[in-house]
Amino acid sequence: MTFDARFSGARRRLVLGSAAAAVGGLAAQGAWAQAAAFPSRPIRIVVPYAAGGGADGNARLLAHAMAPGLGQTLVIENKPGASGIIAAQSVVQAPADGYTLLFDTFPYAVNAVLRKLPFDPVKDLLPVSQAINMPNLLVVPASAPYKTLKELVDYAKANPGKLNYASYGAGGTAHLAAELLRREAGIDWVHVPYKGGAPAITDLLAGQVSAYFANPVSGLTYVKAGRLRALATTGPQRMAALPEVPTFKESGYPSFKVLEWNGFFAPAGTPPPVVERLADAVRDATRAPDVQQRLASLGIDPVGSTPKEFANFLQGQIARWGALVKAANITVD
C-alpha cells in the first residue's frame, strides 16, 4: 500500500470508525445500565513507555486525580517497546468495558500513517480525551561544548555524522522533532532510539548521546539542577518554567513548532456512556487546582477534551505529521 493510501485511509477511518463505534454502542442494549454501575473495580491504564519517563509521570499524576471522582483505584501498567505498538495492541485485545485504557502520546498519530500495524489504530481504539499539551526542550549534557542552538547546528555542520540524538522510539516526538531540525538546519546526525524517555535521559546525562528532545516532565528537573542544558523550546512562546530559554522561532526557525500531547483511549466497542464517564473524569482531573499548579510548573497545558474533540484533534495530527513524514521521506520499518 502506498503512503498516500495509508495517509488518506487513516484520516477517513478516524472519522468513520469513531462514528460507527458510537452509533453501534448507543444501539447496544444495556449500555446506559452498564455506565450507571461503572466503575465497580479498579481501572488499568497501560502506558507505552518506561516508568520514570514523561508519559509515565503524566499518567500517574492524572490517575491520582481521577481516582476520587471515579471512586476506584487507577493502576498504571508500563508496556514499553515498538513505539507504543505493544501497549496499544494489548489494549485493543482487552475487553471493551472501560476497565483497560491506553494512555498514548504523539506516536499514535504517526503510527497510523508510518507503520504496518497488527491492528488499526483508528478502528480498534476509541478516543476518550486529550489530557494535556506540552512543548519539548532540546537538551544536551551540561558538559557539551555548545551553549546555544546555533552553536550546536554549527558544530553538526562542521562534523557531519558525529553528533547523535536520543528518542523514546522511532516515530515519536523526539524522533520527528530531531528529523525536522535535520531538514530545516541542514545537519547530519544519528538517531539512537530507546524504549522510553527515562533510559534516554540516563544515557544523555552520562554523555552517551549528544542531544534529546525531552518533554518537561522528564527533562526540566535536570535542566534546573544544572545537569542538562536546554538550548531551545519547541512551543509558540517561552516556557514560564524556563523563561531564559529561547524558542526555536526566536532562534531562527520560524516554522518550527512541536507540541507533544497525552490522551486516553479505550478499546473499540466500549459503550459510549462509559467513554463519556471516563472523559468527564479526565476533564475534572485537569481542572483540579493542584493538578493545574503542577502542570503549570512544568510548562504543560491541561486540556480535558470530549471524545469528539479528541477525535477531531487526532485527525489534524495525522494530517500534519503524515505530510512531514512524506516530505522528509521518513521510514522506520
Side-chain angles (χ1 to χ4, degrees):
M1 181 183 296
T2 65
F3 174 88
D4 288 329
R6 271 197 278 173
F7 178 34
S8 300
R11 288 188 295 174
R12 182 174 61 253
R13 292 195 305 273
L14 182 60
V15 176
L16 296 180
S18 297
V23 172
L26 287 170
Q29 292 296 320
W32 288 100
Q34 181 177 345
F38 177 87
S40 59
R41 63 178 189 271
I43 297 170
R44 183 168 60 109
I45 300 177
V46 181
V47 178
Y49 305 101
D56 175 74
N58 292 336
R60 293 178 189 277
L61 174 66
L62 291 164
H64 180 75
M66 291 166 63
L70 290 170
Q72 293 292 336
T73 301
L74 284 78
V75 180
I76 303 298
E77 180 178 337
N78 300 93
K79 283 185 174 290
S83 197
I85 296 173
I86 294 172
Q89 187 171 17
S90 74
V91 174
V92 167
Q93 295 171 342
D97 54 13
Y99 290 98
T100 302
L101 303 176
L102 177 69
F103 187 76
D104 210 346
T105 182
F106 185 90
Y108 168 92
V110 179
N111 287 341
V113 296
L114 187 59
R115 298 175 180 271
K116 295 179 180 179
L117 302 174
F119 60 91
D120 188 321
V122 172
K123 290 189 351 184
D124 296 335
L125 290 166
L126 290 177
V128 174
S129 178
Q130 181 192 357
I132 58 175
N133 264 331
M134 54 188 163
N136 276 204
L137 326 168
L138 176 57
V139 291
V140 299
S143 59
Y146 22 83
K147 294 181 171 57
T148 66
L149 177 58
K150 182 180 184 304
E151 289 179 0
L152 179 142
V153 169
D154 289 345
Y155 183 92
K157 288 181 176 179
N159 300 274
K162 187 173 181 179
L163 291 185
N164 56 23
Y165 66 89
S167 82
Y168 56 79
T173 317
H175 177 208
L176 290 191
E179 288 300 304
L180 183 59
L181 181 58
R182 174 205 293 273
R183 186 165 177 243
E184 294 203 2
I187 61 175
D188 178 20
W189 56 351
V190 180
H191 180 209
V192 182
Y194 290 82
K195 289 186 177 181
I201 287 282
T202 298
D203 273 10
L204 183 68
L205 289 166
Q208 299 300 311
V209 287
S210 308
Y212 176 51
F213 278 87
N215 62 44
V217 176
S218 61
L220 186 59
T221 299
Y222 296 108
V223 172
K224 290 192 170 184
R227 300 183 65 189
L228 294 176
R229 180 183 302 130
L231 303 184
T233 61
T234 65
Q237 61 272 327
R238 294 194 182 198
M239 291 175 54
L242 289 175
E244 73 282 4
V245 179
T247 65
F248 270 82
K249 181 178 180 179
E250 293 174 301
S251 302
Y253 299 89
S255 63
F256 197 107
K257 184 177 80 170
V258 179
L259 292 174
E260 191 169 343
W261 53 268
N262 291 163
F264 290 88
F265 297 81
T270 301
V274 171
V275 173
E276 294 287 348
R277 176 82 173 90
L278 290 165
D280 288 346
V282 177
R283 180 201 62 208
D284 293 344
T286 60
R287 293 180 180 177
D290 58 333
V291 172
Q292 291 197 337
Q293 183 177 8
R294 172 60 177 163
L295 293 177
S297 73
L298 295 171
I300 299 174
D301 297 321
V303 180
S305 65
T306 67
K308 182 178 180 180
E309 288 169 341
F310 192 21
N312 291 338
F313 170 81
L314 290 168
Q315 185 179 4
Q317 286 286 289
I318 290 171
R320 183 194 177 193
W321 294 108
L324 174 64
V325 165
K326 180 180 180 181
N329 195 29
I330 295 173
T331 60
V332 295
D333 293 330

